[in-house]
Amino acid sequence: MTKKCGLLKNDSEAALLNNRICVLKVFYIIGISSVFACIIFIYYQDNLKVENAIWESGSYFSSHPKSTHLLPFKTQNDFHAPSTDLSSEACGLPVKDDTVIKLNNQHTYVIGSYMEHRYIEKEIKTIAIVLRSEEVNYVCVMCCQGENVTSQAEYVIHRDHFEFDYGTATISCPIESSCLNPTHVALTTSDLSSTIDSFQPIRNREPPSVFPVNFTICISTMYDYKDVLNLVESMEMFRILGAQKVAIYRTNCNPDVQKILDYYVKQNFVDIIPWTISDHIEVSSGWRKAESQGQLHYYGQIPALNDCVYRYMYQSRYLALQDMDEVILPFADKTWTSLLPKLEEFYGDSVGFEFENNIFPFKQRACREYDISKWKHVKGTNILNYIHRLPNVPNEFNNYKIIVNPRLVVKPTVHGILEGIYDDSLTVRVHPNVARMYHWKPFGFPSDTQLILDDHLWDYANDLVPAVSRVLQECGFFDR
Ligand SMILES: *[C@@H]1O[C@H](CO)[C@@H](O)[C@H](O)[C@H]1NC(C)=O
Ligand SMILES: *[C@@H]1O[C@H](CO)[C@@H](O)[C@H](O)[C@H]1NC(C)=O
């Protein structure tokens, strides 16, 4: 078969030479590493005995400061019936279910409020965006069986603010005996001049007995988005991999993209969460304060991810925290559905999983293997045409995104977890030969870079291409 793409001629010669050197290297590495493996095996056996002894003596949790207030993990069956109360009035005030609510007289934007069940002392956690320089004495007003109950709140600003003026905060309201089952909450300040004029529903009040879906993807912030083809390809890949829900924190997109989103919302595959923080403060298009202006890191990606973790905590067995131009592909397995049980069997079920980022730059020569004629007039990038990736430098830090059981997470961040219920670092790196992340984007690189041919996405093409065509057709992008 003559492929319509491939490495340039001298690229392939270089690759051949590389291969020879590689074989030699592999030979040596195998030798050395078997010696090491032996030593490590013996060492590990000893350590395992120590760990087991600690477990059996019951001292494991007491040596874990964070775990002391932790409830034993609830099984799914401990939970009962419905959750959020979405009626339009509470304690005589209107209920606002908006994702971004400005607090009167403060530079505080409330995103969502959730019941925290995982510690012995229950509390309400509110995810918010706050001006870091402003110190606020928050007060919680809870609606409890028709009565207002007030208590003092505490808050922490997450440390992943990247020096921007605004940061993510978790505001906690303790649940007290005077009000054990609040349905709504509003924040105000101890300053008497600020009163409340609406309530927000408390979500996750009574988690469902069965998780409605196994895999949800949190897409934090869709901003000025217009890549129709990439969007549909990603969504169909997510579905093939096993995702049953995609949550999109949407600021804006063009009408063609909206058409696609409407289609998926109607299918109950996509939830759109309106992300209007840019109406209030200037969001940055970058992640470094020194390089891009604005008051909040990267369109507010971090508060969106934090909200997503709590919003879907009991709606989904696992969450993937990633972007629309990223796809996590396993190798031996075809789907996440079969991969995740294996990872949990190997690493245990109290960790999240890191998948290494691999960049497929659009700057390279596009390959035309999958130029589908019907897609010709659809705007956007066909990721099937980009199969050369930049090499990741071994032994250097390679970025990643995670798939995690959300009930393990206290504070997620862009790459991984800032705080988990057991520990601060709560994720393990999945070997890139087991699964890795494919990330398509315009990206500059030195001209002498040896790109690596990696067409693993094509292994899905037989399912992907007809699925994408069907969606484009049903959305009216072409005739039969
Ligand atoms: C709760 O407090 C708000 C604001 O102070 C007030 O408008 C409302 O009437 C109160 N509701 C009840 C049931 O007391
Ligand atoms: C989730 O996965 C489990 C185990 O693989 C399966 O039994 C269950 O039906 C799945 N749930 C959904 C909603 O697909």
Side-chain angles (χ1 to χ4, degrees):
M1 185 180 81
T2 54
K3 286 191 174 168
K4 294 176 212 155
C5 58
L7 293 170
L8 299 171
K9 187 155 183 290
N10 30 4
D11 279 355
S12 53
E13 277 163 8
L16 200 67
L17 188 67
N18 258 349
N19 275 348
R20 292 208 186 113
I21 297 171
C22 209
V23 168
L24 266 178
K25 276 189 190 160
V26 165
F27 188 75
Y28 281 116
I29 289 169
I30 288 175
I32 294 169
S33 43
S34 13
V35 174
F36 267 106
C38 257
I39 295 170
I40 288 168
F41 180 73
I42 293 164
Y43 181 80
Y44 182 70
Q45 284 284 311
D46 279 355
N47 256 354
L48 202 61
K49 280 181 210 144
V50 176
E51 277 272 303
N52 280 340
I54 293 174
W55 267 107
E56 279 155 22
S57 70
S59 61
Y60 186 79
F61 277 103
S62 52
S63 69
H64 245 243
K66 277 231 168 58
S67 312
T68 47
H69 301 297
L70 205 61
L71 276 180
F73 243 140
K74 288 195 178 188
T75 64
Q76 292 196 18
N77 297 335
D78 291 342
F79 293 122
H80 324 279
S83 53
T84 324
D85 187 344
L86 294 172
S87 50
S88 62
E89 211 175 72
C91 287
L93 287 179
V95 172
K96 267 199 208 162
D97 197 18
D98 304 355
T99 345
V100 178
I101 300 170
K102 187 181 188 313
L103 224 61
N104 284 337
N105 306 326
Q106 302 296 329
H107 297 98
T108 297
Y109 301 91
V110 167
I111 311 301
S113 294
Y114 303 91
M115 190 64 83
E116 173 61 89
H117 297 276
R118 296 172 294 173
Y119 299 90
I120 289 165
E121 282 161 19
K122 268 216 269 184
E123 59 184 15
I124 301 165
K125 272 187 176 165
T126 296
I127 308 297
I129 295 168
V130 300
L131 184 62
R132 292 192 300 120
S133 58
E134 188 172 74
E135 223 173 279
V136 186
N137 201 349
Y138 295 107
V139 170
C140 312
V141 184
M142 291 169 275
C143 177
C144 260
Q145 293 174 311
E147 276 182 44
N148 290 334
V149 176
T150 304
S151 72
Q152 183 66 41
E154 285 177 8
Y155 74 105
V156 288
I157 297 175
H158 301 198
R159 66 172 191 274
D160 52 348
H161 50 67
F162 297 91
E163 305 302 327
F164 286 94
D165 298 347
Y166 281 82
T168 312
T170 304
I171 306 173
S172 314
C173 304
I175 302 282
E176 284 158 5
S177 56
S178 55
C179 172
L180 285 175
N181 202 4
T183 54
H184 298 81
V185 68
L187 289 169
T188 178
T189 57
S190 56
D191 166 8
L192 288 174
S193 65
S194 53
T195 55
I196 58 167
D197 51 23
S198 69
F199 273 111
Q200 192 178 38
I202 300 168
R203 293 173 188 275
N204 298 348
R205 283 200 303 123
E206 287 171 71
S209 55
V210 181
F211 303 131
V213 307
N214 281 326
F215 290 98
T216 296
I217 300 180
C218 292
I219 303 284
S220 52
T221 73
M222 171 178 272
Y223 193 97
D224 275 352
Y225 193 83
K226 32 181 144 359
D227 198 331
V228 175
L229 197 49
N230 194 159
L231 172 69
V232 179
E233 287 185 318
S234 290
M235 298 299 280
E236 292 307 313
M237 271 314 294
F238 297 159
R239 213 203 294 259
I240 291 168
L241 289 165
Q244 291 157 317
K245 180 70 85 181
V246 182
I248 301 176
Y249 286 69
R250 176 193 166 284
T251 301
N252 55 10
C253 61
N254 76 6
D256 280 350
V257 166
Q258 190 58 45
K259 226 185 269 179
I260 303 285
L261 293 180
D262 290 344
Y263 168 86
Y264 284 119
V265 168
K266 213 156 93 195
Q267 288 199 339
N268 206 21
F269 184 50
V270 163
D271 288 348
I272 299 291
I273 293 126
W275 194 242
T276 56
I277 188 64
S278 54
D279 293 348
H280 303 275
I281 61 179
E282 194 195 343
V283 295
S284 177
S285 61
W287 64 277
R288 261 194 285 243
K289 171 87 174 144
E291 286 167 18
S292 43
Q293 56 175 18
Q295 300 167 289
L296 180 66
H297 165 270
Y298 204 65
Y299 308 111
Q301 179 182 33
I302 292 167
L305 283 174
N306 274 268
D307 185 73
C308 197
V309 163
Y310 283 90
R311 192 169 288 250
Y312 291 92
M313 188 164 282
Y314 302 102
Q315 298 299 313
S316 187
R317 189 157 163 188
Y318 304 102
L319 290 185
L321 309 183
Q322 56 170 95
D323 291 332
M324 197 65 88
D325 53 3
E326 297 169 335
V327 178
I328 293 166
L329 296 183
F331 285 88
D333 293 273
K334 193 178 172 207
T335 65
W336 297 350
T337 317
S338 63
L339 173 70
L340 263 286
K342 288 181 195 165
L343 291 178
E344 285 195 337
E345 198 179 316
F346 191 76
Y347 293 107
D349 58 7
S350 56
V351 292
F353 304 104
E354 305 173 355
F355 299 92
E356 205 161 289
N357 188 29
N358 288 271
I359 294 176
F360 290 69
F362 293 145
K363 203 185 156 195
Q364 58 172 302
R365 203 158 52 101
C367 137
R368 299 287 164 208
E369 189 81 1
Y370 284 98
D371 263 353
I372 313 294
S373 59
K374 286 200 289 188
W375 301 359
K376 215 163 50 200
H377 300 295
V378 182
K379 298 248 162 56
T381 313
N382 180 357
I383 54 175
L384 281 164
N385 280 343
Y386 295 90
I387 52 165
H388 292 102
R389 65 176 157 87
L390 296 177
N392 278 352
V393 185
N395 307 324
E396 265 182 30
F397 177 74
N398 290 307
N399 231 328
Y400 59 89
K401 293 286 174 79
I402 59 167
I403 297 180
V404 65
N405 165 354
R407 294 159 303 284
L408 296 172
V409 183
V410 178
K411 295 184 189 122
T413 184
V414 184
H415 307 282
I417 296 171
L418 208 57
E419 187 185 325
I421 58 164
Y422 294 123
D423 216 327
D424 282 351
S425 80
L426 191 82
T427 49
V428 292
R429 184 66 61 104
V430 173
H431 194 282
N433 292 347
V434 173
R436 63 170 78 126
M437 193 168 75
Y438 290 64
H439 183 182
W440 290 269
K441 66 169 175 179
F443 194 78
F445 54 90
S447 55
D448 61 348
T449 307
Q450 291 281 327
L451 293 173
I452 297 163
L453 181 103
D454 181 342
D455 58 6
H456 186 35
L457 186 66
W458 289 3
D459 297 336
Y460 296 86
N462 284 345
D463 295 330
L464 180 60
V465 171
V468 170
S469 287
R470 192 175 55 246
V471 174
L472 291 173
Q473 187 197 309
E474 286 184 26
C475 290
F477 284 88
F478 48 71
D479 307 327
R480 248 152 245 278

